[in-house]
Amino acid sequence: MTTATAPQTETEAKPVLSELSLGFSPCPNDTFIFNALVHGLVPSPGLGFTPRLEDVETLNRLVLAGALDVSKISYHLLGHVLEDYLLLRSGGALGRGCGPLLVARTQLDPARLKDRPIALPGEYTTAALLLRLFDPSLENLVYLPFEKIMPAVADGSVAAGVIIHESRFTYQGLGLTKLVDLGQWWEESTGQPIPLGGIVARRSLGREVLLALEEALTASVRHAFANPGAARGYIRAHSQEMSDAVCDAHISLYVNDFSVNLGAEGETAVRVLLERAAQAGIMKPGSRPLFIS
């Protein structure tokens, strides 16, 4: 692992006051967003970072265990960790037209999937939450790493699967067909954009560190937008099996103005997701503030 700290002037060294473990995925949208932060291309006074790149469900589990200071997580998990973590307003994936897809080998009514195995990319993923909200009767759920879901559907190991990330762009090449766009279903049923993943930080870091962290993360996203080629090497180092076209499509789909700042619309969407999940009995209603006050 590497440690990246804020740039130092020739005349004044900036002491690192907080060395933070930082989790995010190797997916192009995350490496695009975090490149400037972990490589010292934007100011992060007093903050140092030890990056840990893992798939999103591994990150979910690490945060659930309290093993990371700052991390990308699925919004599904957020409702389970609010006692110890709060949500940062920058760096996440939230938008329209970017939700998970339920796919199968042949076109069929999703109601026919009851009691048949359906693959999901992790228990705490937003994909899993959306499927459970879409149809609570679908209970034969099989959890697989996201990259193994399409092959499992294609070879008949499972009847259907919910796909995320770059699989949205490649599932048809395996002969699979879309049954439901869960993001579209969410948007039509709630009127809200779909919250997929956000960045959380330990409440115990304290307000000063949390505010500095949020500011540095916002600067990293803005740097990525202003210098889209700067992260290319970092992105490609972690996405070697993807073409440049798929990487660019991935970033375009999941990184947007909400990634800079959730804003009122994004905050509302997150609250609605958590409320729907609590109403469905999937998680307990939260009592702690979502954001830095």
Side-chain angles (χ1 to χ4, degrees), residues 9-276:
T9 66
E10 294 181 0
T11 58
E12 181 183 3
K14 302 293 185 181
V16 174
L17 304 179
S18 295
E19 187 72 27
L20 306 177
S21 53
L22 172 63
F24 55 95
S25 82
C27 293
N29 60 310
D30 281 356
T31 47
F32 177 78
I33 283 173
F34 284 98
N35 175 68
L37 185 66
V38 301
H39 291 107
L41 303 179
V42 293
S44 55
L47 301 179
F49 301 98
T50 302
R52 179 164 179 176
L53 278 66
E54 303 282 359
D55 69 272
V56 69
E57 182 66 0
T58 298
L59 295 174
N60 288 338
R61 296 284 178 174
L62 288 168
V63 170
L64 190 63
L68 293 171
D69 296 316
V70 185
S71 185
K72 174 77 168 286
I73 64 166
S74 301
Y75 272 113
H76 179 185
L77 183 72
L78 180 61
H80 298 279
V81 298
L82 279 174
E83 187 64 29
D84 297 312
Y85 290 85
L86 51 67
L87 182 64
L88 302 182
R89 293 179 172 88
S90 297
L94 184 150
R96 298 184 183 275
C98 59
L101 307 179
L102 177 64
V103 301
R105 292 182 299 284
T106 59
Q107 190 60 241
L108 53 84
D109 183 343
R112 294 178 55 194
L113 292 172
K114 185 176 181 180
D115 298 326
R116 302 179 68 187
I118 302 172
L120 292 167
E123 181 179 0
Y124 291 103
T125 59
T126 305
L129 174 57
L130 287 175
L131 184 72
R132 293 175 67 185
L133 292 175
F134 170 72
D135 187 349
S137 73
L138 302 177
E139 297 180 335
N140 189 353
L141 306 178
V142 179
Y143 299 110
L144 297 174
F146 81 90
E147 71 276 8
K148 294 185 178 180
I149 290 179
M150 290 197 300
V153 176
D155 69 17
S157 299
V158 294
V162 178
I163 59 173
I164 58 175
H165 300 327
E166 65 274 8
S167 301
R168 285 183 58 98
F169 310 110
T170 59
Y171 72 93
Q172 291 171 316
L174 274 73
L176 305 181
T177 186
K178 178 178 67 177
L179 303 184
V180 181
D181 183 326
L182 291 169
Q184 180 180 350
W185 166 79
W186 168 265
E187 292 174 42
E188 292 175 351
S189 61
T190 67
Q192 302 294 329
I194 175 61
L196 297 172
I199 312 302
V200 296
R202 290 188 196 275
R203 295 180 186 274
S204 61
L205 292 175
R207 188 171 186 271
E208 182 178 356
V209 170
L210 290 168
L211 288 173
L213 175 61
E214 191 166 69
E215 184 176 346
L217 182 54
T218 302
S220 189
V221 182
R222 293 189 184 280
H223 184 280
F225 276 126
N227 305 275
R232 176 65 65 183
Y234 193 52
I235 293 167
R236 295 302 297 150
H238 295 284
S239 58
Q240 297 176 2
E241 296 182 3
M242 292 185 220
S243 68
D244 285 345
V246 170
C247 283
D248 291 343
H250 190 115
I251 293 167
S252 178
L253 186 65
Y254 296 114
V255 186
N256 51 39
D257 288 343
F258 290 118
S259 304
V260 180
N261 190 295
L262 283 173
E265 184 181 12
E267 290 185 20
T268 297
V270 173
R271 295 184 193 279
V272 170
L273 182 70
L274 297 181
E275 288 168 2
R276 292 284 180 107

